[in-house]
Amino acid sequence: MSEELKNKVLTILSNHKIGTLATIQDNRPYSRFMIFFHEDLVLYTATNKDTHKVDEIKQNPNVHVLLGYEGKGWNDSYVEIEATAAISDNQELKNKYWNDYLTEWLSSPDDPDYVLLQLTPGSIRYYEKAGSKPEVLQ
């Protein structure tokens, strides 16, 4: 693994919190905007355990994440991440990644409906800008 490429990816993950998460339901992709956090290359995103995305991940844990591009121009870098999702009820992680933005959907870090999706990358494609050839981190 190239440390230079890993650092580029980590910069994107650190500087861009909102992206899309795509799951599969009935062999069709479904995407939604999510808030992402990360620990090294593993991503976490908060959700209510009674959502379609949780049900979809239980059926098929393969997900796709898109982070980075902000539409400021054609030169924004971004990443596409193919990952395997797991549902985590780890209270230490839920406390760590809790923020007040989540009160729109969940009451507190102790809300029994609060879970994290842990997304472990299988492949990450880094694009320097739109149309560029990707650098692949596996």
Side-chain angles (χ1 to χ4, degrees):
M1 174 185 322
S2 159
E3 281 302 309
E4 179 184 347
L5 178 54
K6 182 178 178 181
N7 288 334
K8 289 179 189 179
V9 169
L10 288 172
T11 297
I12 296 282
L13 299 182
S14 294
N15 294 330
H16 301 276
K17 300 296 182 203
I18 298 175
T20 62
L21 170 69
T23 57
I24 302 294
Q25 179 183 11
D26 299 326
N27 291 321
R28 293 183 176 167
Y30 286 84
S31 295
R32 72 276 290 157
F33 286 103
M34 301 291 290
I35 300 169
F36 293 94
F37 311 97
H38 73 97
E39 193 167 298
D40 198 37
L41 295 173
V42 176
L43 295 172
Y44 294 91
T45 187
T47 192
N48 186 304
K49 69 179 183 179
D50 296 320
T51 59
H52 291 292
K53 68 183 120 349
V54 169
D55 293 338
E56 293 158 7
I57 287 167
K58 286 178 181 177
Q59 295 296 314
N60 184 340
N62 297 301
V63 298
H64 186 270
V65 174
L66 186 59
L67 274 170
Y69 182 76
E70 292 184 351
K72 293 179 183 174
W74 293 107
N75 294 323
D76 292 345
S77 56
Y78 62 97
V79 293
E80 293 182 354
I81 302 170
E82 294 176 15
T84 302
I87 300 156
S88 175
D89 198 27
N90 179 302
Q91 191 62 49
E92 184 177 323
L93 288 174
K94 292 191 323 182
N95 290 339
K96 179 178 180 177
Y97 295 119
W98 177 262
N99 69 55
D100 290 337
Y101 291 116
L102 298 174
T103 58
E104 180 80 22
W105 304 277
L106 302 157
S107 62
S108 74
D110 300 315
D111 187 324
D113 291 329
Y114 172 33
V115 294
L116 289 171
L117 303 180
Q118 178 179 319
L119 312 174
T120 304
S123 174
I124 301 173
R125 287 182 297 282
Y126 172 86
Y127 293 84
E128 190 65 38
K129 62 182 182 176
S132 67
K133 183 176 178 180
E135 296 177 63
V136 181
L137 187 62
Q138 295 183 350

PDB file of all heavy atoms in Angstrom, residues 75-112:
ATOM      1  N   ASN A  75     -12.027  20.317 -10.569  1.00  0.00           N
ATOM      2  CA  ASN A  75     -10.734  19.882 -10.052  1.00  0.00           C
ATOM      3  C   ASN A  75     -10.775  19.358  -8.628  1.00  0.00           C
ATOM      4  O   ASN A  75      -9.741  19.156  -8.015  1.00  0.00           O
ATOM      5  CB  ASN A  75      -9.722  21.030 -10.155  1.00  0.00           C
ATOM      6  CG  ASN A  75      -9.420  21.368 -11.597  1.00  0.00           C
ATOM      7  OD1 ASN A  75      -9.345  20.481 -12.445  1.00  0.00           O
ATOM      8  ND2 ASN A  75      -9.276  22.641 -11.891  1.00  0.00           N
ATOM      9  N   ASP A  76     -11.973  19.122  -8.068  1.00  0.00           N
ATOM     10  CA  ASP A  76     -12.071  18.575  -6.714  1.00  0.00           C
ATOM     11  C   ASP A  76     -11.678  17.096  -6.714  1.00  0.00           C
ATOM     12  O   ASP A  76     -12.104  16.326  -7.578  1.00  0.00           O
ATOM     13  CB  ASP A  76     -13.506  18.683  -6.183  1.00  0.00           C
ATOM     14  CG  ASP A  76     -13.933  20.114  -5.939  1.00  0.00           C
ATOM     15  OD1 ASP A  76     -13.062  21.010  -5.905  1.00  0.00           O
ATOM     16  OD2 ASP A  76     -15.144  20.337  -5.774  1.00  0.00           O
ATOM     17  N   SER A  77     -10.893  16.709  -5.728  1.00  0.00           N
ATOM     18  CA  SER A  77     -10.553  15.296  -5.583  1.00  0.00           C
ATOM     19  C   SER A  77     -11.664  14.599  -4.806  1.00  0.00           C
ATOM     20  O   SER A  77     -12.414  15.225  -4.059  1.00  0.00           O
ATOM     21  CB  SER A  77      -9.203  15.139  -4.890  1.00  0.00           C
ATOM     22  OG  SER A  77      -9.197  15.803  -3.649  1.00  0.00           O
ATOM     23  N   TYR A  78     -11.779  13.287  -5.012  1.00  0.00           N
ATOM     24  CA  TYR A  78     -12.807  12.515  -4.323  1.00  0.00           C
ATOM     25  C   TYR A  78     -12.410  11.046  -4.281  1.00  0.00           C
ATOM     26  O   TYR A  78     -11.460  10.632  -4.949  1.00  0.00           O
ATOM     27  CB  TYR A  78     -14.178  12.695  -4.984  1.00  0.00           C
ATOM     28  CG  TYR A  78     -14.272  12.218  -6.418  1.00  0.00           C
ATOM     29  CD1 TYR A  78     -14.781  10.957  -6.710  1.00  0.00           C
ATOM     30  CD2 TYR A  78     -13.873  13.027  -7.475  1.00  0.00           C
ATOM     31  CE1 TYR A  78     -14.886  10.516  -8.028  1.00  0.00           C
ATOM     32  CE2 TYR A  78     -13.978  12.602  -8.785  1.00  0.00           C
ATOM     33  CZ  TYR A  78     -14.480  11.340  -9.059  1.00  0.00           C
ATOM     34  OH  TYR A  78     -14.578  10.913 -10.348  1.00  0.00           O
ATOM     35  N   VAL A  79     -13.150  10.268  -3.472  1.00  0.00           N
ATOM     36  CA  VAL A  79     -12.909   8.834  -3.373  1.00  0.00           C
ATOM     37  C   VAL A  79     -14.214   8.076  -3.589  1.00  0.00           C
ATOM     38  O   VAL A  79     -15.292   8.543  -3.229  1.00  0.00           O
ATOM     39  CB  VAL A  79     -12.277   8.418  -2.026  1.00  0.00           C
ATOM     40  CG1 VAL A  79     -10.868   8.968  -1.886  1.00  0.00           C
ATOM     41  CG2 VAL A  79     -13.140   8.827  -0.852  1.00  0.00           C
ATOM     42  N   GLU A  80     -14.068   6.912  -4.179  1.00  0.00           N
ATOM     43  CA  GLU A  80     -15.137   5.928  -4.275  1.00  0.00           C
ATOM     44  C   GLU A  80     -14.670   4.725  -3.468  1.00  0.00           C
ATOM     45  O   GLU A  80     -13.556   4.232  -3.677  1.00  0.00           O
ATOM     46  CB  GLU A  80     -15.373   5.501  -5.720  1.00  0.00           C
ATOM     47  CG  GLU A  80     -15.929   6.576  -6.603  1.00  0.00           C
ATOM     48  CD  GLU A  80     -16.194   6.075  -8.025  1.00  0.00           C
ATOM     49  OE1 GLU A  80     -15.830   4.923  -8.352  1.00  0.00           O
ATOM     50  OE2 GLU A  80     -16.746   6.857  -8.802  1.00  0.00           O
ATOM     51  N   ILE A  81     -15.512   4.275  -2.552  1.00  0.00           N
ATOM     52  CA  ILE A  81     -15.118   3.192  -1.651  1.00  0.00           C
ATOM     53  C   ILE A  81     -16.098   2.041  -1.763  1.00  0.00           C
ATOM     54  O   ILE A  81     -17.303   2.219  -1.573  1.00  0.00           O
ATOM     55  CB  ILE A  81     -15.073   3.689  -0.189  1.00  0.00           C
ATOM     56  CG1 ILE A  81     -14.095   4.859  -0.065  1.00  0.00           C
ATOM     57  CG2 ILE A  81     -14.703   2.557   0.758  1.00  0.00           C
ATOM     58  CD1 ILE A  81     -14.144   5.582   1.265  1.00  0.00           C
ATOM     59  N   GLU A  82     -15.580   0.860  -2.082  1.00  0.00           N
ATOM     60  CA  GLU A  82     -16.354  -0.369  -2.007  1.00  0.00           C
ATOM     61  C   GLU A  82     -16.041  -0.970  -0.643  1.00  0.00           C
ATOM     62  O   GLU A  82     -14.876  -1.169  -0.303  1.00  0.00           O
ATOM     63  CB  GLU A  82     -15.959  -1.335  -3.112  1.00  0.00           C
ATOM     64  CG  GLU A  82     -16.301  -0.839  -4.501  1.00  0.00           C
ATOM     65  CD  GLU A  82     -15.814  -1.781  -5.587  1.00  0.00           C
ATOM     66  OE1 GLU A  82     -15.462  -2.945  -5.284  1.00  0.00           O
ATOM     67  OE2 GLU A  82     -15.770  -1.342  -6.743  1.00  0.00           O
ATOM     68  N   ALA A  83     -17.088  -1.248   0.134  1.00  0.00           N
ATOM     69  CA  ALA A  83     -16.862  -1.705   1.504  1.00  0.00           C
ATOM     70  C   ALA A  83     -17.854  -2.795   1.895  1.00  0.00           C
ATOM     71  O   ALA A  83     -18.881  -2.987   1.243  1.00  0.00           O
ATOM     72  CB  ALA A  83     -16.979  -0.525   2.467  1.00  0.00           C
ATOM     73  N   THR A  84     -17.521  -3.456   2.991  1.00  0.00           N
ATOM     74  CA  THR A  84     -18.420  -4.405   3.626  1.00  0.00           C
ATOM     75  C   THR A  84     -18.937  -3.745   4.891  1.00  0.00           C
ATOM     76  O   THR A  84     -18.144  -3.262   5.710  1.00  0.00           O
ATOM     77  CB  THR A  84     -17.684  -5.713   3.966  1.00  0.00           C
ATOM     78  OG1 THR A  84     -17.133  -6.247   2.758  1.00  0.00           O
ATOM     79  CG2 THR A  84     -18.629  -6.725   4.585  1.00  0.00           C
ATOM     80  N   ALA A  85     -20.248  -3.718   5.044  1.00  0.00           N
ATOM     81  CA  ALA A  85     -20.869  -3.047   6.184  1.00  0.00           C
ATOM     82  C   ALA A  85     -21.230  -4.044   7.274  1.00  0.00           C
ATOM     83  O   ALA A  85     -21.638  -5.171   7.004  1.00  0.00           O
ATOM     84  CB  ALA A  85     -22.121  -2.307   5.734  1.00  0.00           C
ATOM     85  N   ALA A  86     -21.072  -3.586   8.514  1.00  0.00           N
ATOM     86  CA  ALA A  86     -21.515  -4.338   9.684  1.00  0.00           C
ATOM     87  C   ALA A  86     -22.256  -3.363  10.590  1.00  0.00           C
ATOM     88  O   ALA A  86     -21.941  -2.174  10.628  1.00  0.00           O
ATOM     89  CB  ALA A  86     -20.327  -4.949  10.407  1.00  0.00           C
ATOM     90  N   ILE A  87     -23.215  -3.867  11.323  1.00  0.00           N
ATOM     91  CA  ILE A  87     -23.989  -3.048  12.244  1.00  0.00           C
ATOM     92  C   ILE A  87     -23.361  -3.168  13.623  1.00  0.00           C
ATOM     93  O   ILE A  87     -23.190  -4.271  14.136  1.00  0.00           O
ATOM     94  CB  ILE A  87     -25.461  -3.496  12.250  1.00  0.00           C
ATOM     95  CG1 ILE A  87     -26.029  -3.336  10.830  1.00  0.00           C
ATOM     96  CG2 ILE A  87     -26.271  -2.712  13.265  1.00  0.00           C
ATOM     97  CD1 ILE A  87     -27.201  -4.207  10.537  1.00  0.00           C
ATOM     98  N   SER A  88     -22.995  -2.023  14.204  1.00  0.00           N
ATOM     99  CA  SER A  88     -22.317  -2.006  15.504  1.00  0.00           C
ATOM    100  C   SER A  88     -23.160  -1.298  16.553  1.00  0.00           C
ATOM    101  O   SER A  88     -23.652  -0.190  16.322  1.00  0.00           O
ATOM    102  CB  SER A  88     -20.964  -1.295  15.383  1.00  0.00           C
ATOM    103  OG  SER A  88     -20.367  -1.169  16.658  1.00  0.00           O
ATOM    104  N   ASP A  89     -23.267  -1.940  17.708  1.00  0.00           N
ATOM    105  CA  ASP A  89     -23.959  -1.360  18.857  1.00  0.00           C
ATOM    106  C   ASP A  89     -22.944  -1.060  19.971  1.00  0.00           C
ATOM    107  O   ASP A  89     -23.317  -0.934  21.128  1.00  0.00           O
ATOM    108  CB  ASP A  89     -25.042  -2.324  19.342  1.00  0.00           C
ATOM    109  CG  ASP A  89     -26.071  -1.645  20.209  1.00  0.00           C
ATOM    110  OD1 ASP A  89     -26.272  -0.429  20.052  1.00  0.00           O
ATOM    111  OD2 ASP A  89     -26.660  -2.333  21.074  1.00  0.00           O
ATOM    112  N   ASN A  90     -21.671  -0.944  19.607  1.00  0.00           N
ATOM    113  CA  ASN A  90     -20.591  -0.707  20.571  1.00  0.00           C
ATOM    114  C   ASN A  90     -20.760   0.682  21.195  1.00  0.00           C
ATOM    115  O   ASN A  90     -20.644   1.701  20.507  1.00  0.00           O
ATOM    116  CB  ASN A  90     -19.250  -0.823  19.835  1.00  0.00           C
ATOM    117  CG  ASN A  90     -18.066  -0.567  20.721  1.00  0.00           C
ATOM    118  OD1 ASN A  90     -17.945   0.498  21.324  1.00  0.00           O
ATOM    119  ND2 ASN A  90     -17.168  -1.544  20.782  1.00  0.00           N
ATOM    120  N   GLN A  91     -21.035   0.713  22.506  1.00  0.00           N
ATOM    121  CA  GLN A  91     -21.333   1.981  23.172  1.00  0.00           C
ATOM    122  C   GLN A  91     -20.144   2.938  23.167  1.00  0.00           C
ATOM    123  O   GLN A  91     -20.325   4.148  23.026  1.00  0.00           O
ATOM    124  CB  GLN A  91     -21.815   1.738  24.613  1.00  0.00           C
ATOM    125  CG  GLN A  91     -22.381   2.985  25.271  1.00  0.00           C
ATOM    126  CD  GLN A  91     -23.616   3.520  24.545  1.00  0.00           C
ATOM    127  OE1 GLN A  91     -24.549   2.772  24.240  1.00  0.00           O
ATOM    128  NE2 GLN A  91     -23.629   4.815  24.243  1.00  0.00           N
ATOM    129  N   GLU A  92     -18.934   2.414  23.290  1.00  0.00           N
ATOM    130  CA  GLU A  92     -17.749   3.278  23.263  1.00  0.00           C
ATOM    131  C   GLU A  92     -17.644   4.007  21.920  1.00  0.00           C
ATOM    132  O   GLU A  92     -17.396   5.217  21.874  1.00  0.00           O
ATOM    133  CB  GLU A  92     -16.493   2.448  23.513  1.00  0.00           C
ATOM    134  CG  GLU A  92     -15.219   3.260  23.608  1.00  0.00           C
ATOM    135  CD  GLU A  92     -14.011   2.401  23.918  1.00  0.00           C
ATOM    136  OE1 GLU A  92     -14.131   1.432  24.691  1.00  0.00           O
ATOM    137  OE2 GLU A  92     -12.940   2.722  23.375  1.00  0.00           O
ATOM    138  N   LEU A  93     -17.871   3.286  20.829  1.00  0.00           N
ATOM    139  CA  LEU A  93     -17.837   3.916  19.505  1.00  0.00           C
ATOM    140  C   LEU A  93     -19.007   4.874  19.322  1.00  0.00           C
ATOM    141  O   LEU A  93     -18.855   5.952  18.742  1.00  0.00           O
ATOM    142  CB  LEU A  93     -17.849   2.858  18.404  1.00  0.00           C
ATOM    143  CG  LEU A  93     -16.567   2.055  18.219  1.00  0.00           C
ATOM    144  CD1 LEU A  93     -16.776   0.945  17.201  1.00  0.00           C
ATOM    145  CD2 LEU A  93     -15.420   2.955  17.806  1.00  0.00           C
ATOM    146  N   LYS A  94     -20.178   4.501  19.813  1.00  0.00           N
ATOM    147  CA  LYS A  94     -21.342   5.383  19.691  1.00  0.00           C
ATOM    148  C   LYS A  94     -21.106   6.689  20.445  1.00  0.00           C
ATOM    149  O   LYS A  94     -21.471   7.758  19.956  1.00  0.00           O
ATOM    150  CB  LYS A  94     -22.605   4.678  20.185  1.00  0.00           C
ATOM    151  CG  LYS A  94     -23.011   3.533  19.267  1.00  0.00           C
ATOM    152  CD  LYS A  94     -24.374   2.935  19.524  1.00  0.00           C
ATOM    153  CE  LYS A  94     -24.853   2.807  20.911  1.00  0.00           C
ATOM    154  NZ  LYS A  94     -26.176   2.157  21.010  1.00  0.00           N
ATOM    155  N   ASN A  95     -20.484   6.625  21.596  1.00  0.00           N
ATOM    156  CA  ASN A  95     -20.139   7.852  22.342  1.00  0.00           C
ATOM    157  C   ASN A  95     -19.121   8.675  21.561  1.00  0.00           C
ATOM    158  O   ASN A  95     -19.231   9.899  21.471  1.00  0.00           O
ATOM    159  CB  ASN A  95     -19.589   7.517  23.723  1.00  0.00           C
ATOM    160  CG  ASN A  95     -20.630   6.957  24.652  1.00  0.00           C
ATOM    161  OD1 ASN A  95     -21.830   7.125  24.477  1.00  0.00           O
ATOM    162  ND2 ASN A  95     -20.172   6.255  25.681  1.00  0.00           N
ATOM    163  N   LYS A  96     -18.129   8.001  21.012  1.00  0.00           N
ATOM    164  CA  LYS A  96     -17.055   8.683  20.289  1.00  0.00           C
ATOM    165  C   LYS A  96     -17.585   9.445  19.075  1.00  0.00           C
ATOM    166  O   LYS A  96     -17.147  10.571  18.800  1.00  0.00           O
ATOM    167  CB  LYS A  96     -16.009   7.660  19.843  1.00  0.00           C
ATOM    168  CG  LYS A  96     -14.851   8.236  19.062  1.00  0.00           C
ATOM    169  CD  LYS A  96     -13.843   7.158  18.713  1.00  0.00           C
ATOM    170  CE  LYS A  96     -12.677   7.730  17.936  1.00  0.00           C
ATOM    171  NZ  LYS A  96     -11.666   6.706  17.645  1.00  0.00           N
ATOM    172  N   TYR A  97     -18.512   8.857  18.344  1.00  0.00           N
ATOM    173  CA  TYR A  97     -18.978   9.456  17.093  1.00  0.00           C
ATOM    174  C   TYR A  97     -20.289  10.218  17.226  1.00  0.00           C
ATOM    175  O   TYR A  97     -20.803  10.736  16.239  1.00  0.00           O
ATOM    176  CB  TYR A  97     -19.072   8.391  15.995  1.00  0.00           C
ATOM    177  CG  TYR A  97     -17.701   7.850  15.657  1.00  0.00           C
ATOM    178  CD1 TYR A  97     -17.396   6.508  15.833  1.00  0.00           C
ATOM    179  CD2 TYR A  97     -16.705   8.687  15.197  1.00  0.00           C
ATOM    180  CE1 TYR A  97     -16.130   6.021  15.534  1.00  0.00           C
ATOM    181  CE2 TYR A  97     -15.438   8.219  14.906  1.00  0.00           C
ATOM    182  CZ  TYR A  97     -15.159   6.883  15.080  1.00  0.00           C
ATOM    183  OH  TYR A  97     -13.912   6.413  14.801  1.00  0.00           O
ATOM    184  N   TRP A  98     -20.810  10.338  18.426  1.00  0.00           N
ATOM    185  CA  TRP A  98     -22.027  11.110  18.631  1.00  0.00           C
ATOM    186  C   TRP A  98     -21.751  12.592  18.404  1.00  0.00           C
ATOM    187  O   TRP A  98     -20.701  13.111  18.784  1.00  0.00           O
ATOM    188  CB  TRP A  98     -22.567  10.915  20.039  1.00  0.00           C
ATOM    189  CG  TRP A  98     -23.771  11.772  20.277  1.00  0.00           C
ATOM    190  CD1 TRP A  98     -23.816  12.987  20.897  1.00  0.00           C
ATOM    191  CD2 TRP A  98     -25.094  11.516  19.830  1.00  0.00           C
ATOM    192  NE1 TRP A  98     -25.091  13.492  20.871  1.00  0.00           N
ATOM    193  CE2 TRP A  98     -25.893  12.604  20.208  1.00  0.00           C
ATOM    194  CE3 TRP A  98     -25.689  10.466  19.133  1.00  0.00           C
ATOM    195  CZ2 TRP A  98     -27.256  12.680  19.922  1.00  0.00           C
ATOM    196  CZ3 TRP A  98     -27.042  10.539  18.851  1.00  0.00           C
ATOM    197  CH2 TRP A  98     -27.805  11.637  19.254  1.00  0.00           C
ATOM    198  N   ASN A  99     -22.695  13.290  17.777  1.00  0.00           N
ATOM    199  CA  ASN A  99     -22.651  14.748  17.730  1.00  0.00           C
ATOM    200  C   ASN A  99     -24.086  15.255  17.695  1.00  0.00           C
ATOM    201  O   ASN A  99     -25.024  14.505  17.405  1.00  0.00           O
ATOM    202  CB  ASN A  99     -21.796  15.271  16.570  1.00  0.00           C
ATOM    203  CG  ASN A  99     -22.392  15.014  15.223  1.00  0.00           C
ATOM    204  OD1 ASN A  99     -23.526  15.386  14.953  1.00  0.00           O
ATOM    205  ND2 ASN A  99     -21.632  14.368  14.351  1.00  0.00           N
ATOM    206  N   ASP A 100     -24.254  16.504  18.008  1.00  0.00           N
ATOM    207  CA  ASP A 100     -25.598  17.067  18.160  1.00  0.00           C
ATOM    208  C   ASP A 100     -26.403  17.101  16.866  1.00  0.00           C
ATOM    209  O   ASP A 100     -27.621  17.216  16.914  1.00  0.00           O
ATOM    210  CB  ASP A 100     -25.520  18.466  18.780  1.00  0.00           C
ATOM    211  CG  ASP A 100     -25.105  18.409  20.243  1.00  0.00           C
ATOM    212  OD1 ASP A 100     -25.310  17.348  20.882  1.00  0.00           O
ATOM    213  OD2 ASP A 100     -24.574  19.403  20.746  1.00  0.00           O
ATOM    214  N   TYR A 101     -25.751  17.004  15.725  1.00  0.00           N
ATOM    215  CA  TYR A 101     -26.496  16.939  14.464  1.00  0.00           C
ATOM    216  C   TYR A 101     -27.412  15.714  14.427  1.00  0.00           C
ATOM    217  O   TYR A 101     -28.433  15.715  13.754  1.00  0.00           O
ATOM    218  CB  TYR A 101     -25.553  16.892  13.257  1.00  0.00           C
ATOM    219  CG  TYR A 101     -24.794  18.166  13.025  1.00  0.00           C
ATOM    220  CD1 TYR A 101     -23.415  18.201  13.128  1.00  0.00           C
ATOM    221  CD2 TYR A 101     -25.451  19.344  12.696  1.00  0.00           C
ATOM    222  CE1 TYR A 101     -22.706  19.372  12.912  1.00  0.00           C
ATOM    223  CE2 TYR A 101     -24.762  20.517  12.478  1.00  0.00           C
ATOM    224  CZ  TYR A 101     -23.391  20.523  12.590  1.00  0.00           C
ATOM    225  OH  TYR A 101     -22.695  21.681  12.373  1.00  0.00           O
ATOM    226  N   LEU A 102     -27.028  14.676  15.164  1.00  0.00           N
ATOM    227  CA  LEU A 102     -27.791  13.433  15.135  1.00  0.00           C
ATOM    228  C   LEU A 102     -29.110  13.518  15.893  1.00  0.00           C
ATOM    229  O   LEU A 102     -29.956  12.638  15.765  1.00  0.00           O
ATOM    230  CB  LEU A 102     -26.934  12.287  15.691  1.00  0.00           C
ATOM    231  CG  LEU A 102     -25.654  11.986  14.905  1.00  0.00           C
ATOM    232  CD1 LEU A 102     -24.822  10.942  15.627  1.00  0.00           C
ATOM    233  CD2 LEU A 102     -25.978  11.554  13.495  1.00  0.00           C
ATOM    234  N   THR A 103     -29.307  14.605  16.677  1.00  0.00           N
ATOM    235  CA  THR A 103     -30.555  14.723  17.439  1.00  0.00           C
ATOM    236  C   THR A 103     -31.767  14.907  16.528  1.00  0.00           C
ATOM    237  O   THR A 103     -32.899  14.778  16.994  1.00  0.00           O
ATOM    238  CB  THR A 103     -30.491  15.877  18.468  1.00  0.00           C
ATOM    239  OG1 THR A 103     -30.224  17.098  17.782  1.00  0.00           O
ATOM    240  CG2 THR A 103     -29.439  15.603  19.526  1.00  0.00           C
ATOM    241  N   GLU A 104     -31.529  15.163  15.275  1.00  0.00           N
ATOM    242  CA  GLU A 104     -32.622  15.209  14.304  1.00  0.00           C
ATOM    243  C   GLU A 104     -33.297  13.838  14.177  1.00  0.00           C
ATOM    244  O   GLU A 104     -34.480  13.744  13.887  1.00  0.00           O
ATOM    245  CB  GLU A 104     -32.068  15.653  12.943  1.00  0.00           C
ATOM    246  CG  GLU A 104     -33.073  15.751  11.846  1.00  0.00           C
ATOM    247  CD  GLU A 104     -33.891  17.026  11.887  1.00  0.00           C
ATOM    248  OE1 GLU A 104     -33.438  18.011  12.497  1.00  0.00           O
ATOM    249  OE2 GLU A 104     -34.980  17.015  11.299  1.00  0.00           O
ATOM    250  N   TRP A 105     -32.517  12.759  14.422  1.00  0.00           N
ATOM    251  CA  TRP A 105     -33.007  11.400  14.233  1.00  0.00           C
ATOM    252  C   TRP A 105     -32.934  10.541  15.487  1.00  0.00           C
ATOM    253  O   TRP A 105     -33.662   9.558  15.593  1.00  0.00           O
ATOM    254  CB  TRP A 105     -32.211  10.710  13.128  1.00  0.00           C
ATOM    255  CG  TRP A 105     -32.233  11.475  11.842  1.00  0.00           C
ATOM    256  CD1 TRP A 105     -33.215  11.448  10.896  1.00  0.00           C
ATOM    257  CD2 TRP A 105     -31.252  12.398  11.384  1.00  0.00           C
ATOM    258  NE1 TRP A 105     -32.900  12.297   9.867  1.00  0.00           N
ATOM    259  CE2 TRP A 105     -31.687  12.904  10.131  1.00  0.00           C
ATOM    260  CE3 TRP A 105     -30.032  12.867  11.889  1.00  0.00           C
ATOM    261  CZ2 TRP A 105     -30.971  13.829   9.394  1.00  0.00           C
ATOM    262  CZ3 TRP A 105     -29.314  13.786  11.153  1.00  0.00           C
ATOM    263  CH2 TRP A 105     -29.782  14.262   9.922  1.00  0.00           C
ATOM    264  N   LEU A 106     -32.040  10.892  16.404  1.00  0.00           N
ATOM    265  CA  LEU A 106     -31.802  10.076  17.599  1.00  0.00           C
ATOM    266  C   LEU A 106     -31.716  10.995  18.813  1.00  0.00           C
ATOM    267  O   LEU A 106     -31.255  12.130  18.707  1.00  0.00           O
ATOM    268  CB  LEU A 106     -30.493   9.288  17.450  1.00  0.00           C
ATOM    269  CG  LEU A 106     -30.441   8.356  16.233  1.00  0.00           C
ATOM    270  CD1 LEU A 106     -29.007   8.058  15.843  1.00  0.00           C
ATOM    271  CD2 LEU A 106     -31.210   7.079  16.530  1.00  0.00           C
ATOM    272  N   SER A 107     -32.121  10.505  19.979  1.00  0.00           N
ATOM    273  CA  SER A 107     -32.197  11.390  21.146  1.00  0.00           C
ATOM    274  C   SER A 107     -30.860  11.623  21.843  1.00  0.00           C
ATOM    275  O   SER A 107     -30.620  12.710  22.362  1.00  0.00           O
ATOM    276  CB  SER A 107     -33.216  10.848  22.149  1.00  0.00           C
ATOM    277  OG  SER A 107     -32.816   9.566  22.615  1.00  0.00           O
ATOM    278  N   SER A 108     -29.988  10.612  21.869  1.00  0.00           N
ATOM    279  CA  SER A 108     -28.726  10.730  22.604  1.00  0.00           C
ATOM    280  C   SER A 108     -27.833   9.540  22.252  1.00  0.00           C
ATOM    281  O   SER A 108     -28.284   8.596  21.603  1.00  0.00           O
ATOM    282  CB  SER A 108     -28.995  10.732  24.115  1.00  0.00           C
ATOM    283  OG  SER A 108     -29.338   9.425  24.543  1.00  0.00           O
ATOM    284  N   PRO A 109     -26.592   9.546  22.743  1.00  0.00           N
ATOM    285  CA  PRO A 109     -25.719   8.390  22.505  1.00  0.00           C
ATOM    286  C   PRO A 109     -26.264   7.109  23.144  1.00  0.00           C
ATOM    287  O   PRO A 109     -25.868   6.014  22.776  1.00  0.00           O
ATOM    288  CB  PRO A 109     -24.392   8.777  23.144  1.00  0.00           C
ATOM    289  CG  PRO A 109     -24.443  10.225  23.370  1.00  0.00           C
ATOM    290  CD  PRO A 109     -25.882  10.624  23.433  1.00  0.00           C
ATOM    291  N   ASP A 110     -27.176   7.262  24.107  1.00  0.00           N
ATOM    292  CA  ASP A 110     -27.754   6.109  24.791  1.00  0.00           C
ATOM    293  C   ASP A 110     -29.085   5.659  24.196  1.00  0.00           C
ATOM    294  O   ASP A 110     -29.703   4.717  24.708  1.00  0.00           O
ATOM    295  CB  ASP A 110     -27.937   6.439  26.276  1.00  0.00           C
ATOM    296  CG  ASP A 110     -26.618   6.773  26.947  1.00  0.00           C
ATOM    297  OD1 ASP A 110     -25.631   6.040  26.711  1.00  0.00           O
ATOM    298  OD2 ASP A 110     -26.560   7.778  27.676  1.00  0.00           O
ATOM    299  N   ASP A 111     -29.535   6.324  23.152  1.00  0.00           N
ATOM    300  CA  ASP A 111     -30.785   5.956  22.494  1.00  0.00           C
ATOM    301  C   ASP A 111     -30.697   4.485  22.064  1.00  0.00           C
ATOM    302  O   ASP A 111     -29.760   4.091  21.367  1.00  0.00           O
ATOM    303  CB  ASP A 111     -31.001   6.854  21.270  1.00  0.00           C
ATOM    304  CG  ASP A 111     -32.343   6.681  20.608  1.00  0.00           C
ATOM    305  OD1 ASP A 111     -32.851   5.537  20.558  1.00  0.00           O
ATOM    306  OD2 ASP A 111     -32.880   7.685  20.117  1.00  0.00           O
ATOM    307  N   PRO A 112     -31.652   3.648  22.466  1.00  0.00           N
ATOM    308  CA  PRO A 112     -31.590   2.223  22.105  1.00  0.00           C
ATOM    309  C   PRO A 112     -31.718   1.969  20.600  1.00  0.00           C
ATOM    310  O   PRO A 112     -31.356   0.888  20.129  1.00  0.00           O
ATOM    311  CB  PRO A 112     -32.760   1.600  22.874  1.00  0.00           C
ATOM    312  CG  PRO A 112     -33.650   2.723  23.230  1.00  0.00           C
ATOM    313  CD  PRO A 112     -32.800   3.967  23.299  1.00  0.00           C
TER     314      PRO A 112
END
